[in-house]
Amino acid sequence: LITLFIVLLNIDINKRSRKIEAVRRDTSLFKDSISLLGDLKRKNDIAAEAFLVLDSSLPNRDDLVTFPKEVRKMADKRSVDIWFAFGAESVPSEGIPGSITFELTASGEFEDILSFLEDLENHTYYISMNSINLVGRVVSSDAGESDGGFVFKTQGEIFTQ
C-alpha cells in the first residue's frame, strides 16, 4: 500500500513539474515578447521622427517652379547645353512621398557633363534618375568623325511632400 502511494505521489509530482516547466516557458516567452514589443515601439518612435525629418526636407511641389532655372544655371556654369521638361506628378500617400517626373537632355564635353551631373547630384532635392543614355555626337561629315562632344539623356523623378 505504501509502495502504491509512493508511485501515485511520484506520478503526481512529475505532472506538476511538467506544468511548472510549461508555465516557466510561457512566462519566458511572454517576457521576451514584451521586450521585443518595447523595442519595436522605441524603433517605431525613432522611425516616425526620422520620417518627419525626411518629409520636412522634401520640397513642396510649388517649390519646384524654380528648379528648371536652377538646372540651367548649373549647366551654364559647366558650359553644358540642356533641355529640361517636367512630366507626370504622383501625389503623396501614407508613408510614400509624392514625385514629379522629368526629362533632361544635356550636351557638351564629357568632363563638363560629368561635372554638371555632380552638381545635380549635390542639389538639395532628392532626385532619382531612372534611365540614362550617353552617346558621342557625330559631326555630319564624309569621314563621320566625332566632334568630341556627348549627349546625355535621362528620365527621372524629384520627390516631393
Side-chain angles (χ1 to χ4, degrees):
L1 195 59
I2 292 179
T3 309
L4 181 62
F5 176 74
I6 293 175
V7 170
L8 291 175
L9 184 61
N10 190 25
I11 290 172
D12 185 51
I13 290 173
N14 285 336
K15 284 181 185 179
R16 288 177 189 246
S17 75
R18 283 193 294 270
K19 284 183 182 179
I20 290 170
E21 285 180 34
V23 168
R24 283 185 181 167
R25 222 178 11 256
D26 291 346
T27 302
S28 177
L29 286 173
F30 181 72
K31 285 180 182 178
D32 290 347
S33 297
I34 293 296
S35 175
L36 288 174
L37 187 61
D39 287 346
L40 285 174
K41 179 162 178 17
R42 282 189 295 279
K43 288 178 182 176
N44 184 46
D45 292 343
I46 292 169
E49 290 174 19
F51 183 75
L52 288 174
V53 169
L54 177 63
D55 192 47
S56 67
S57 68
L58 294 175
N60 291 317
R61 83 185 224 337
D62 294 340
D63 295 339
L64 296 179
V65 171
T66 60
F67 185 67
K69 288 180 184 178
E70 294 173 28
V71 172
R72 184 156 311 283
K73 283 182 185 178
M74 286 186 268
D76 289 345
K77 176 182 161 189
R78 301 297 183 177
S79 301
V80 173
D81 295 322
I82 65 158
W83 175 85
F84 181 91
F86 282 121
E89 177 181 356
S90 68
V91 296
S93 60
E94 185 64 33
I96 300 173
S99 66
I100 298 177
T101 62
F102 68 88
E103 291 185 35
L104 171 70
T105 301
S107 59
E109 298 299 315
F110 183 75
E111 293 81 16
D112 296 336
I113 291 175
L114 284 181
S115 296
F116 165 71
L117 291 175
E118 287 175 5
D119 293 344
L120 192 60
E121 180 181 40
N122 292 326
H123 196 279
T124 57
Y125 296 156
Y126 294 100
I127 301 170
S128 171
M129 293 185 190
N130 302 327
S131 68
I132 295 175
N133 186 13
L134 178 68
V135 294
R137 289 189 303 213
V138 175
V139 175
S140 46
S141 69
D142 293 335
E145 297 173 355
S146 171
D147 68 352
F150 287 82
V151 176
F152 170 83
K153 293 183 180 186
T154 186
Q155 293 178 335
E157 58 188 328
I158 303 169
F159 297 99
T160 63
Q161 290 183 16

